[in-house]
PDB file of all heavy atoms in Angstrom:
ATOM      1  N   ASP F 132     110.873 152.643 156.177  1.00  0.00           N
ATOM      2  CA  ASP F 132     112.047 151.912 156.420  1.00  0.00           C
ATOM      3  C   ASP F 132     112.978 152.593 157.450  1.00  0.00           C
ATOM      4  O   ASP F 132     113.006 153.849 157.430  1.00  0.00           O
ATOM      5  CB  ASP F 132     112.954 151.880 155.096  1.00  0.00           C
ATOM      6  CG  ASP F 132     114.179 150.904 155.167  1.00  0.00           C
ATOM      7  OD1 ASP F 132     115.053 151.187 155.942  1.00  0.00           O
ATOM      8  OD2 ASP F 132     114.121 149.918 154.370  1.00  0.00           O
ATOM      9  N   PHE F 133     113.595 151.872 158.387  1.00  0.00           N
ATOM     10  CA  PHE F 133     114.240 152.487 159.528  1.00  0.00           C
ATOM     11  C   PHE F 133     115.439 153.359 158.973  1.00  0.00           C
ATOM     12  O   PHE F 133     115.886 154.222 159.720  1.00  0.00           O
ATOM     13  CB  PHE F 133     114.793 151.439 160.497  1.00  0.00           C
ATOM     14  CG  PHE F 133     115.959 150.467 159.957  1.00  0.00           C
ATOM     15  CD1 PHE F 133     117.192 150.876 159.936  1.00  0.00           C
ATOM     16  CD2 PHE F 133     115.594 149.266 159.421  1.00  0.00           C
ATOM     17  CE1 PHE F 133     118.134 150.096 159.553  1.00  0.00           C
ATOM     18  CE2 PHE F 133     116.535 148.458 158.851  1.00  0.00           C
ATOM     19  CZ  PHE F 133     117.821 148.838 159.031  1.00  0.00           C
ATOM     20  N   LYS F 134     115.970 153.234 157.746  1.00  0.00           N
ATOM     21  CA  LYS F 134     116.969 154.012 157.262  1.00  0.00           C
ATOM     22  C   LYS F 134     116.478 155.424 156.999  1.00  0.00           C
ATOM     23  O   LYS F 134     117.158 156.456 156.824  1.00  0.00           O
ATOM     24  CB  LYS F 134     117.561 153.412 155.961  1.00  0.00           C
ATOM     25  CG  LYS F 134     118.276 152.120 156.234  1.00  0.00           C
ATOM     26  CD  LYS F 134     118.689 151.558 154.960  1.00  0.00           C
ATOM     27  CE  LYS F 134     119.235 150.054 155.303  1.00  0.00           C
ATOM     28  NZ  LYS F 134     119.119 149.175 154.095  1.00  0.00           N
ATOM     29  N   ASN F 135     115.128 155.591 156.714  1.00  0.00           N
ATOM     30  CA  ASN F 135     114.465 156.874 156.436  1.00  0.00           C
ATOM     31  C   ASN F 135     113.935 157.414 157.798  1.00  0.00           C
ATOM     32  O   ASN F 135     112.776 157.391 158.120  1.00  0.00           O
ATOM     33  CB  ASN F 135     113.330 156.622 155.478  1.00  0.00           C
ATOM     34  CG  ASN F 135     112.732 157.882 154.921  1.00  0.00           C
ATOM     35  OD1 ASN F 135     112.992 158.973 155.388  1.00  0.00           O
ATOM     36  ND2 ASN F 135     111.767 157.696 154.079  1.00  0.00           N
ATOM     37  N   GLU F 136     114.902 157.805 158.581  1.00  0.00           N
ATOM     38  CA  GLU F 136     114.727 158.147 160.125  1.00  0.00           C
ATOM     39  C   GLU F 136     113.479 159.030 160.345  1.00  0.00           C
ATOM     40  O   GLU F 136     112.645 158.682 161.158  1.00  0.00           O
ATOM     41  CB  GLU F 136     115.967 158.749 160.568  1.00  0.00           C
ATOM     42  CG  GLU F 136     115.907 159.056 162.075  1.00  0.00           C
ATOM     43  CD  GLU F 136     117.158 159.719 162.706  1.00  0.00           C
ATOM     44  OE1 GLU F 136     118.179 159.956 162.006  1.00  0.00           O
ATOM     45  OE2 GLU F 136     117.116 159.966 163.950  1.00  0.00           O
ATOM     46  N   LEU F 137     113.540 160.167 159.940  1.00  0.00           N
ATOM     47  CA  LEU F 137     112.376 161.164 160.158  1.00  0.00           C
ATOM     48  C   LEU F 137     111.021 160.590 159.808  1.00  0.00           C
ATOM     49  O   LEU F 137     110.103 160.616 160.699  1.00  0.00           O
ATOM     50  CB  LEU F 137     112.657 162.521 159.381  1.00  0.00           C
ATOM     51  CG  LEU F 137     111.616 163.555 159.568  1.00  0.00           C
ATOM     52  CD1 LEU F 137     111.617 164.003 161.030  1.00  0.00           C
ATOM     53  CD2 LEU F 137     111.837 164.771 158.636  1.00  0.00           C
ATOM     54  N   PHE F 138     110.896 160.137 158.650  1.00  0.00           N
ATOM     55  CA  PHE F 138     109.495 159.504 158.171  1.00  0.00           C
ATOM     56  C   PHE F 138     109.169 158.361 159.185  1.00  0.00           C
ATOM     57  O   PHE F 138     108.053 158.240 159.528  1.00  0.00           O
ATOM     58  CB  PHE F 138     109.584 159.079 156.810  1.00  0.00           C
ATOM     59  CG  PHE F 138     108.338 158.497 156.147  1.00  0.00           C
ATOM     60  CD1 PHE F 138     107.193 159.347 156.014  1.00  0.00           C
ATOM     61  CD2 PHE F 138     108.245 157.168 155.854  1.00  0.00           C
ATOM     62  CE1 PHE F 138     106.052 158.757 155.482  1.00  0.00           C
ATOM     63  CE2 PHE F 138     107.133 156.594 155.411  1.00  0.00           C
ATOM     64  CZ  PHE F 138     106.015 157.425 155.267  1.00  0.00           C
ATOM     65  N   PHE F 139     110.111 157.551 159.500  1.00  0.00           N
ATOM     66  CA  PHE F 139     109.895 156.232 160.300  1.00  0.00           C
ATOM     67  C   PHE F 139     109.399 156.706 161.596  1.00  0.00           C
ATOM     68  O   PHE F 139     108.400 156.245 162.169  1.00  0.00           O
ATOM     69  CB  PHE F 139     111.261 155.437 160.335  1.00  0.00           C
ATOM     70  CG  PHE F 139     110.990 154.112 160.913  1.00  0.00           C
ATOM     71  CD1 PHE F 139     110.703 153.060 159.972  1.00  0.00           C
ATOM     72  CD2 PHE F 139     111.163 153.862 162.226  1.00  0.00           C
ATOM     73  CE1 PHE F 139     110.617 151.793 160.519  1.00  0.00           C
ATOM     74  CE2 PHE F 139     111.045 152.501 162.820  1.00  0.00           C
ATOM     75  CZ  PHE F 139     110.730 151.422 161.891  1.00  0.00           C
ATOM     76  N   ILE F 140     110.132 157.594 162.292  1.00  0.00           N
ATOM     77  CA  ILE F 140     109.872 157.899 163.741  1.00  0.00           C
ATOM     78  C   ILE F 140     108.494 158.647 163.662  1.00  0.00           C
ATOM     79  O   ILE F 140     107.614 158.381 164.623  1.00  0.00           O
ATOM     80  CB  ILE F 140     110.988 158.775 164.254  1.00  0.00           C
ATOM     81  CG1 ILE F 140     112.191 157.925 164.557  1.00  0.00           C
ATOM     82  CG2 ILE F 140     110.489 159.429 165.624  1.00  0.00           C
ATOM     83  CD1 ILE F 140     113.514 158.645 164.993  1.00  0.00           C
ATOM     84  N   GLU F 141     108.250 159.658 162.894  1.00  0.00           N
ATOM     85  CA  GLU F 141     106.955 160.371 162.928  1.00  0.00           C
ATOM     86  C   GLU F 141     105.839 159.553 162.547  1.00  0.00           C
ATOM     87  O   GLU F 141     104.661 159.724 163.113  1.00  0.00           O
ATOM     88  CB  GLU F 141     107.123 161.585 161.949  1.00  0.00           C
ATOM     89  CG  GLU F 141     108.123 162.690 162.362  1.00  0.00           C
ATOM     90  CD  GLU F 141     107.703 163.269 163.803  1.00  0.00           C
ATOM     91  OE1 GLU F 141     106.525 163.550 164.042  1.00  0.00           O
ATOM     92  OE2 GLU F 141     108.639 163.484 164.624  1.00  0.00           O
ATOM     93  N   SER F 142     106.107 158.513 161.691  1.00  0.00           N
ATOM     94  CA  SER F 142     104.922 157.661 161.338  1.00  0.00           C
ATOM     95  C   SER F 142     104.448 156.881 162.508  1.00  0.00           C
ATOM     96  O   SER F 142     103.327 156.574 162.731  1.00  0.00           O
ATOM     97  CB  SER F 142     105.405 156.720 160.235  1.00  0.00           C
ATOM     98  OG  SER F 142     105.594 157.299 159.020  1.00  0.00           O
ATOM     99  N   PHE F 143     105.445 156.338 163.271  1.00  0.00           N
ATOM    100  CA  PHE F 143     105.085 155.463 164.537  1.00  0.00           C
ATOM    101  C   PHE F 143     104.456 156.410 165.574  1.00  0.00           C
ATOM    102  O   PHE F 143     103.550 155.982 166.382  1.00  0.00           O
ATOM    103  CB  PHE F 143     106.255 154.729 164.965  1.00  0.00           C
ATOM    104  CG  PHE F 143     106.357 153.446 164.244  1.00  0.00           C
ATOM    105  CD1 PHE F 143     107.340 153.331 163.225  1.00  0.00           C
ATOM    106  CD2 PHE F 143     105.559 152.386 164.461  1.00  0.00           C
ATOM    107  CE1 PHE F 143     107.381 152.226 162.442  1.00  0.00           C
ATOM    108  CE2 PHE F 143     105.654 151.141 163.727  1.00  0.00           C
ATOM    109  CZ  PHE F 143     106.568 151.082 162.684  1.00  0.00           C
ATOM    110  N   LYS F 144     104.870 157.662 165.660  1.00  0.00           N
ATOM    111  CA  LYS F 144     104.225 158.582 166.558  1.00  0.00           C
ATOM    112  C   LYS F 144     102.771 158.767 166.199  1.00  0.00           C
ATOM    113  O   LYS F 144     101.859 158.832 167.079  1.00  0.00           O
ATOM    114  CB  LYS F 144     104.962 159.999 166.550  1.00  0.00           C
ATOM    115  CG  LYS F 144     106.243 159.962 167.322  1.00  0.00           C
ATOM    116  CD  LYS F 144     106.812 161.349 167.289  1.00  0.00           C
ATOM    117  CE  LYS F 144     108.245 161.403 167.987  1.00  0.00           C
ATOM    118  NZ  LYS F 144     108.792 162.845 167.807  1.00  0.00           N
ATOM    119  N   LEU F 145     102.485 158.963 164.900  1.00  0.00           N
ATOM    120  CA  LEU F 145     101.146 159.079 164.504  1.00  0.00           C
ATOM    121  C   LEU F 145     100.287 157.835 164.660  1.00  0.00           C
ATOM    122  O   LEU F 145      99.178 157.895 165.154  1.00  0.00           O
ATOM    123  CB  LEU F 145     101.030 159.441 162.959  1.00  0.00           C
ATOM    124  CG  LEU F 145      99.564 159.566 162.404  1.00  0.00           C
ATOM    125  CD1 LEU F 145      98.906 160.722 162.983  1.00  0.00           C
ATOM    126  CD2 LEU F 145      99.673 159.702 160.819  1.00  0.00           C
ATOM    127  N   ILE F 146     100.991 156.688 164.423  1.00  0.00           N
ATOM    128  CA  ILE F 146     100.146 155.352 164.713  1.00  0.00           C
ATOM    129  C   ILE F 146      99.830 155.258 166.261  1.00  0.00           C
ATOM    130  O   ILE F 146      98.709 154.861 166.572  1.00  0.00           O
ATOM    131  CB  ILE F 146     101.027 154.173 164.286  1.00  0.00           C
ATOM    132  CG1 ILE F 146     101.117 154.120 162.802  1.00  0.00           C
ATOM    133  CG2 ILE F 146     100.539 152.875 164.914  1.00  0.00           C
ATOM    134  CD1 ILE F 146     102.168 153.090 162.277  1.00  0.00           C
TER     135      ILE F 146
END
Side-chain angles (χ1 to χ4, degrees):
D132 187 296
F133 67 86
K134 293 173 189 154
N135 192 351
E136 181 180 359
L137 180 63
F138 180 69
F139 194 90
I140 292 171
E141 291 302 317
S142 293
F143 279 98
K144 283 182 183 176
L145 178 64
I146 289 169

